[in-house]
Amino acid sequence: MAWILDADKPIYAQLVEIIQMQIVSGQYKAGDKFPSVRDLAAEASVNPNTMQKALAELERNGLITTQRTSGRTVTEDNEMIQKVRTQLADEYIRNFFRMMQKLGYSAEEILSLIKQATEEGNQYGSIG
């Protein structure tokens, strides 16, 4: 199944975000062997060179390591994974608040809406 990519943002940057999300959410666990560039590119329906660029960025960031003989693996550094998870959460929260404030909501109103949505979500089993 092809990954959902947005034409308004560089493809490699979106690939980095998607793979980061897969790692921090546990789809790929610390120490797991990572699929080949070609396999990932085929799965995402992108050029292998674009996928290579995304993986190189993840390697520079320390989430993926490359061993000459055994290919790529997810870092075994759980602190690094948790740090990236926290950074992503912070980024999503800041963007959410920024967009809600553009809609005219105050911080208190936003928090109230979040509380309401959480309670409703828990009632229907979709949050928490």
Side-chain angles (χ1 to χ4, degrees):
M1 179 170 103
W3 298 1
I4 298 171
L5 302 171
D6 183 357
D8 293 338
K9 190 173 181 184
I11 299 297
Y12 93 92
Q14 294 177 71
L15 296 174
V16 168
E17 288 177 9
I18 290 168
I19 295 169
Q20 282 179 330
M21 187 68 73
Q22 291 172 336
I23 292 170
V24 301
S25 69
Q27 184 175 341
Y28 292 111
K29 296 183 182 2
D32 280 357
K33 184 161 176 39
F34 218 71
S36 72
V37 171
R38 289 193 187 282
D39 289 345
L40 280 173
E43 181 182 327
S45 299
V46 298
N47 184 298
N49 291 331
T50 304
M51 183 60 73
Q52 175 62 37
K53 184 176 180 181
L55 293 177
E57 177 73 18
L58 290 164
E59 191 170 345
R60 274 191 297 279
N61 295 341
L63 275 180
I64 295 176
T65 59
T66 301
Q67 303 296 325
R68 254 190 169 180
T69 57
S70 59
R72 289 183 171 88
T73 57
V74 175
T75 183
E76 293 185 11
D77 184 349
N78 285 312
E79 281 185 35
M80 166 67 75
I81 294 171
Q82 187 59 43
K83 178 182 171 188
V84 171
R85 183 175 185 237
T86 300
Q87 288 171 340
L88 288 173
D90 184 59
E91 181 182 330
Y92 289 134
I93 290 167
R94 288 177 188 275
N95 288 337
F96 171 75
F97 267 86
R98 197 170 11 261
M99 294 305 295
M100 293 299 285
Q101 287 171 338
K102 283 183 180 180
L103 291 173
Y105 286 98
S106 68
E108 295 78 23
E109 290 172 317
I110 296 168
L111 293 173
S112 177
L113 288 170
I114 291 170
K115 182 178 181 191
Q116 180 183 348
T118 302
E119 289 168 356
E120 290 172 3
N122 284 337
Q123 180 181 1
Y124 300 108
S126 63
I127 298 177

